[in-house]
Amino acid sequence: MKQRYTMYAISAIATFALATAAWAVDPVPGTYNSTDLGGPVLLGRGTQSWVAPLNAAHGVGDVLNSASWNGAALGTQWSFSCAVQAAAQTVTDHRIAGTGTVVFDNTFNGGAFFLSKTGPWSDGIHDLTGTLGATHVIATVQYVNNQPVGSRLNIDSAGLFDGSQCTLTFVIANGIGLGDTDSGALPANYPAFLAPDCSPTRAYGSWGDASQITFRVDCPVPVHSTTWGRVKAIYR
């Protein structure tokens, strides 16, 4: 009886291992552009939460939250969330007499991403997830008489797919800052303001739209060892 139970346990473990391996699916390598660039990637919406009004912490503790927008729902195709900024943002002021640009340079760390199984990067069966490394956000704000009149965002990030050695590079070449809680409430159908623990509990922050998006998926090429016998066979 004991031997039979042991064999059953080994069989069950092997079956579980095979099932787990079956779920570890690599993404499909390639470059995928957003719809405004002729590709399949949906445009997006995003928020950057603040610790306090007026971003009084100067970026420390800010959290990113972004997702695809299909015109009716957020996050049906992709999302990038919970990246946290540890240090104060760098500010470069190019204004003359109150008119000109101010550049805010932000670096976030950590977080996670999701890519839907419906995209060309997957097999149509498995959603893909992963962890983010560093995310760099540059916001260029145009001022007239010390009043902000426009904002452009450039974002790049990189991450590693779960259960895989494949990597993801994510770039937004043209984001538009639309508003912040100093001047109004967060509109409906925008990602929530997140706290560092990813809970949607913050009340302050900014929001905007993302376009000219590029996903780049890269996977390592397997290296096969060659024996001396195989070499001889090739040149025989």
Side-chain angles (χ1 to χ4, degrees), residues 2 17 33 35 43 52 80 84 96 109 128 154 159 191 198 203 210 217 220 231:
K2 184 177 180 180
N33 292 320
T35 54
L43 302 184
F80 294 77
V84 182
I96 299 175
N109 292 292
L128 303 173
N154 296 98
C198 296
V217 177
V231 172

Side-chain angles (χ1 to χ4, degrees), residues 57-119:
H58 306 290
V60 177
D62 287 6
V63 183
L64 292 180
N65 190 15
S66 59
S68 60
W69 173 248
N70 64 5
L74 290 166
T76 59
Q77 189 189 59
W78 60 264
S79 67
F80 294 77
S81 60
C82 301
V84 182
Q85 185 162 215
Q89 60 191 357
T90 300
V91 181
T92 306
D93 194 336
H94 298 284
R95 289 176 292 185
I96 299 175
T99 297
T101 59
V102 178
V103 180
F104 300 87
D105 196 323
N106 307 263
T107 300
F108 297 80
N109 292 292
F113 66 85
F114 156 83
L115 297 181
S116 171
K117 62 187 176 185
T118 60

Side-chain angles (χ1 to χ4, degrees), residues 23-199:
W23 282 95
V25 176
D26 281 342
V28 179
T31 300
Y32 308 99
N33 292 320
S34 53
T35 54
D36 58 336
L37 297 175
V41 179
L42 294 176
L43 302 184
R45 293 179 168 184
T47 59
Q48 180 173 329
S49 74
W50 304 339
V51 173
L54 298 172
N55 203 358
H58 306 290
V60 177
D62 287 6
V63 183
L64 292 180
N65 190 15
S66 59
S68 60
W69 173 248
N70 64 5
L74 290 166
T76 59
Q77 189 189 59
W78 60 264
S79 67
F80 294 77
S81 60
C82 301
V84 182
Q85 185 162 215
Q89 60 191 357
T90 300
V91 181
T92 306
D93 194 336
H94 298 284
R95 289 176 292 185
I96 299 175
T99 297
T101 59
V102 178
V103 180
F104 300 87
D105 196 323
N106 307 263
T107 300
F108 297 80
N109 292 292
F113 66 85
F114 156 83
L115 297 181
S116 171
K117 62 187 176 185
T118 60
W121 42 74
S122 186
D123 58 2
I125 301 173
H126 301 96
D127 290 331
L128 303 173
T129 58
T131 55
L132 296 171
T135 300
H136 195 203
V137 180
I138 298 178
T140 304
V141 183
Q142 182 73 39
Y143 288 81
V144 174
N145 293 328
N146 291 315
Q147 296 298 314
V149 295
S151 176
R152 293 288 177 177
L153 304 171
N154 296 98
I155 303 171
D156 63 84
S157 185
L160 180 67
F161 285 90
D162 291 334
S164 172
Q165 295 183 16
C166 299
T167 60
L168 174 69
T169 303
F170 171 62
V171 174
I172 295 175
N174 187 22
I176 301 175
L178 296 177
D180 59 46
T181 50
D182 294 334
S183 57
L186 177 66
N189 297 318
Y190 275 80
F193 291 138
L194 298 181
D197 64 357
C198 296
S199 62

